[in-house]
Structures are given as structure tokens and as C-alpha cells.
Amino acid sequence: MPSKSSLQSLEKLLLDQPSQPPVHLWQPELSGEMDMLIRADGQWIHEGGRIKRDKLVALFASILRREEDGEYYLLTPAEKWRISVEDAPLLIVDMDFITEEGEQQIIFTTNVGARFLLDDEHPLRVLVDKNEQPSPELVLNNGLHGKLTRAVFYRLVDIAEEKRRGFIVRSAGSEFLLS
């Protein structure tokens, strides 16, 4: 079991981030389509031009939701705008972990600075892309997922254990299959 100091470090990593608006509670009618695209490389494009302000991208990401129809929407309490997403709306660009007395906690960071503990609520899944390559992603909030960058996936593979059914990583008391 992690020590109190390790748990405090983990708590700080997860809580020391901006609060998120309650988009899961907002149910406005569709306002229309917005000329906004999230490219597979993580760039946000509005009316053909790249949004260069990271804080603006983070703001938009905080009001993004994917619904049961598979579409992505930017929401406010009064408006709902459909946008396009090429692949995953967010990228997982960093990974931290704490291991103490055999218990490991893995925390992923997105390209907009949000952090998520790898656990049963935010599981890892590894899909296979059209080129038969692994495409690992983390299930996030509001129907979203974040695609692990190659560097983060390789770091994850480095700490994986080989089991009969494939390579696994442990976090928050659960096991997640990498292959």
C-alpha cells in the first residue's frame, strides 16, 4: 500500500489542475455545426486556421463531449455545436507513476494538461489500427478518449509485465492488457 506521502503526491497530481465545467449535465438543443476540426496530431483548426493559444484549446477541450451518436460537441448551458475530429480528440503526452510496496498508480497527462489516473473509471484499451499497429487510448470523461503518443506507449511497455495472456500494466489495483 502506498505511503501517506506517496498518496499525497498522487492526490496533488490529480487535484492540481483546473476544475472542469459540468458538461455532462448540460442538455441544450443543437445550435448547428462549427467549422472546427481536431486533427489526429492534436492541432485544433478553426475556419482553416490553427488555434495557436494553448489556453484557448484547453478551454474548448473542457467543454467537449462525445455523445452516443459518435459525434463530438462543444457545449455551454445554452448552446451545442457539432465539430469534427479526425481520430482522438486528445493526446496522452506524459505519464507519471508512483510505486510503493508493490502498488502502482499511473497518471496520464493530456495535451491540454488534464490528468487522469489509470483505473477502472479511466481504463486503457489497445485497439489495432488499419495498418495492424497497436493504437492505445485512455478512456476519459464525457465520452472522450485520449490517444497515447508513441513515446508514452513505449514508456508504458517498459514497465509492463509479461503474462500468459500478453503484456499487462497495473494501476490502482487493476490490470490493463497492452497486447
Side-chain angles (χ1 to χ4, degrees):
M1 177 160 249
S3 71
K4 185 173 178 136
S5 63
S6 293
L7 288 176
Q8 288 171 340
S9 298
L10 175 64
E11 182 179 35
K12 182 169 176 29
L13 278 172
L14 293 172
L15 294 178
D16 188 22
Q17 58 185 338
S19 62
Q20 297 295 305
V23 296
H24 63 285
L25 300 176
W26 298 340
Q27 301 300 326
E29 292 295 318
L30 181 64
S31 302
E33 302 225 7
M34 183 179 288
D35 185 8
M36 186 175 287
L37 167 69
I38 304 172
R39 292 185 18 188
D41 63 4
Q43 290 187 41
W44 289 57
I45 309 298
H46 181 250
E47 295 180 349
R50 182 174 162 257
I51 300 174
K52 297 178 182 175
R53 292 179 44 214
D54 293 339
K55 288 186 179 188
L56 187 56
V57 169
L59 174 66
F60 284 138
S62 75
I63 60 169
L64 182 63
R65 178 172 75 198
R66 185 176 189 193
E67 296 190 351
E68 290 181 15
D69 62 3
E71 299 288 335
Y72 294 87
Y73 300 91
L74 293 176
L75 294 127
T76 70
E79 296 181 88
K80 177 178 177 179
W81 295 93
R82 183 181 299 122
I83 67 167
S84 299
V85 177
E86 282 183 349
D87 189 5
L90 298 170
L91 298 175
I92 304 298
V93 297
D94 200 5
M95 176 183 93
D96 293 294
F97 63 92
I98 298 169
T99 304
E100 213 167 284
E101 297 179 21
E103 182 76 19
Q104 182 166 261
Q105 311 285 332
I106 300 172
I107 300 100
F108 291 109
T109 304
T110 69
N111 57 317
V112 295
R115 293 184 192 94
F116 294 89
L117 174 65
L118 175 60
D119 60 10
D120 292 335
E121 185 179 349
H122 302 105
L124 180 72
R125 58 185 180 198
V126 181
L127 308 172
V128 177
D129 70 15
K130 62 185 177 192
N131 297 319
E132 304 281 328
Q133 297 298 311
S135 182
E137 60 185 36
L138 186 69
V139 175
L140 307 175
N141 298 334
N142 300 315
L144 303 178
H145 60 282
K147 191 170 198 167
L148 275 68
T149 61
R150 186 178 308 248
V152 171
F153 186 56
Y154 286 162
R155 287 181 60 205
L156 198 59
V157 169
D158 281 344
I159 64 169
E161 302 171 42
E162 188 171 6
K163 296 287 186 177
R164 179 176 293 161
R165 66 182 199 261
F167 289 92
I168 62 146
V169 292
R170 297 176 197 271
S171 180
S174 296
E175 293 183 351
F176 300 93
L177 191 61
L178 296 184
S179 58

